[in-house]
Amino acid sequence: MAARVVQACGAAWAGGVLRRAAPCSLQPVLRRLTSSNNRPREDSWLKSLFVRKVDPRKDAHSNLLAKKETSSLYKLQFHNVKPECLEAYNKICQEVLPKIHEDKHYPCTLVGTWNTWYGEQDQAVHLWRYEGGYPALTEVMNKLRENQEFVEFRKARSNMLLSRKNQLLLEFSFWNEPIPRSGPNIYELRSYQLRPGTMIEWGNYWARAIRFRQDGNEAVGGFFSQIGQLYMVHHLWAYKDLQTREDIRNAAWHKHGWEELVYYTVPLIQEMESRIMIPLKTSPLQ
């Protein structure tokens, strides 16, 4: 019994060598000090397994991800309309917006205009393209201030709205160019709020993922924000109807590699939203 006490409080046997151990009264203190000294090293080692290593980059992600062959800028508008005014709002939009779209003096085109069917209700969504980037946008805005019909249109529109917001976007280089298409179609706008700093990673994964979703010509356009709510991604899809949408999305899971890309992109997302939209009669995307 005494020998066991001596071994426990006076000496320790390790590796065939008898070592002097700390007194029993000091062992808890030493144990805490040892644990405290080792913890930063352990924490550092554990963190190295999970912290994403970022390659140094010498260019903005807008230059790395956007199409090089075009300098187009896109504007996405969301207008929340008073429920009792939606019909009147659609009427004046269908009268005025196509005139701007068709006028060659304005370096812009109306890509599409919709009402939200499922998602946020009594909402209108407009997508514009400015051929020539920011200078084209500035030119259009300056000319519209001198367009008396548009000035009157804005006054009438303002009485019909509850709120509105917009974003300026660039187009992903690996996505389809949004071009007019015949209908009838429904459109889905899937919007993703990414975690800051993950746009390059998202682009790398979706450059591969998009090939899984092009069999049925459902991919319309893919965009990322430059001004407005940042680190926003918008994917625009066209389907014959809701059941076709369901069938196409389910079919993607049977393609080898799709599940892996979903697995790696989901952690990059903070929030996501889906809108099902119906095009107005004058929308180039039908």
Side-chain angles (χ1 to χ4, degrees):
M1 179 68 178
R4 284 198 297 269
V5 172
V6 169
Q7 184 175 8
C9 297
W13 182 266
V17 178
L18 186 66
R19 296 183 299 161
R20 182 73 176 175
C24 290
S25 60
L26 293 179
Q27 282 188 353
V29 177
L30 290 176
R31 190 176 297 113
R32 287 197 299 272
L33 289 173
T34 303
S35 176
S36 176
N37 289 337
N38 287 340
R39 189 174 295 113
R41 184 180 301 175
E42 293 173 358
D43 289 349
S44 176
W45 179 79
L46 286 171
K47 287 179 180 177
S48 69
L49 295 178
F50 300 104
V51 173
R52 183 170 53 89
K53 293 180 173 60
V54 179
D55 295 332
R57 300 193 181 277
K58 299 181 180 179
D59 207 349
H61 68 246
S62 58
N63 293 332
L64 296 170
L65 295 173
K67 288 188 175 179
K68 300 293 190 297
E69 63 272 21
T70 67
S71 55
S72 293
L73 181 72
Y74 291 82
K75 179 168 70 175
L76 185 61
Q77 299 174 302
F78 299 99
H79 291 174
N80 293 315
V81 185
K82 296 176 182 177
E84 67 273 16
C85 296
L86 186 59
E87 185 176 348
Y89 171 91
N90 288 339
K91 185 175 184 296
I92 64 172
C93 284
Q94 292 182 109
E95 290 173 354
V96 176
L97 300 187
K99 294 179 182 179
I100 301 171
H101 169 73
E102 295 166 2
D103 193 331
K104 302 303 180 184
H105 292 92
Y106 295 99
C108 66
T109 54
L110 181 62
V111 177
T113 178
W114 304 267
N115 285 156
T116 300
W117 185 23
Y118 289 104
E120 199 159 352
Q121 296 293 285
D122 303 309
Q123 185 181 70
V125 180
H126 309 290
L127 181 62
W128 292 87
R129 176 170 53 227
Y130 297 87
E131 295 89 357
Y134 293 108
L137 172 66
T138 302
E139 181 182 347
V140 170
M141 294 299 101
N142 289 336
K143 288 182 176 179
L144 287 177
R145 291 190 188 99
E146 305 300 323
N147 184 328
Q148 192 58 38
E149 183 181 23
F150 185 78
V151 171
E152 294 300 321
F153 160 75
R154 289 197 60 172
K155 288 180 181 178
R157 188 187 67 181
S158 65
N159 294 323
M160 303 177 184
L161 297 183
L162 294 170
S163 64
R164 61 193 178 103
K165 68 176 181 178
N166 59 28
Q167 296 175 0
L168 294 181
L169 315 170
L170 293 177
E171 184 182 8
F172 281 114
S173 61
F174 46 85
W175 266 81
N176 305 7
E177 183 79 17
I179 58 175
R181 63 172 67 196
S182 58
N185 294 294
I186 62 170
Y187 289 81
E188 181 177 20
L189 183 66
R190 296 179 69 87
S191 302
Y192 304 89
Q193 176 67 62
L194 301 188
R195 299 182 183 279
T198 62
M199 186 65 73
I200 293 291
E201 197 170 352
W202 177 275
N204 288 339
Y205 285 124
W206 262 96
R208 290 180 284 158
I210 189 62
R211 61 188 173 90
F212 293 103
R213 296 295 312 278
Q214 291 180 318
D215 293 347
N217 195 33
E218 68 268 19
V220 178
F223 313 91
F224 59 99
S225 63
Q226 289 293 283
I227 295 178
Q229 192 169 348
L230 299 178
Y231 285 96
M232 282 294 297
V233 169
H234 300 283
H235 292 173
L236 184 60
W237 308 91
Y239 303 101
K240 179 182 177 182
D241 50 39
L242 288 173
Q243 185 58 55
T244 302
R245 169 189 176 273
E246 180 76 3
D247 294 342
I248 290 175
R249 288 179 56 82
N250 287 339
W253 289 98
H254 299 288
K255 298 177 181 179
H256 178 69
W258 172 254
E259 74 286 348
E260 179 184 358
L261 293 168
V262 173
Y263 175 83
Y264 284 115
T265 53
V266 166
L268 309 181
I269 302 169
Q270 285 185 330
E271 294 181 18
M272 58 188 296
E273 182 178 6
S274 170
R275 290 175 176 86
I276 301 296
M277 308 183 301
I278 304 296
L280 299 187
K281 294 179 181 178
T282 54
S283 175
L285 287 170
Q286 282 296 307

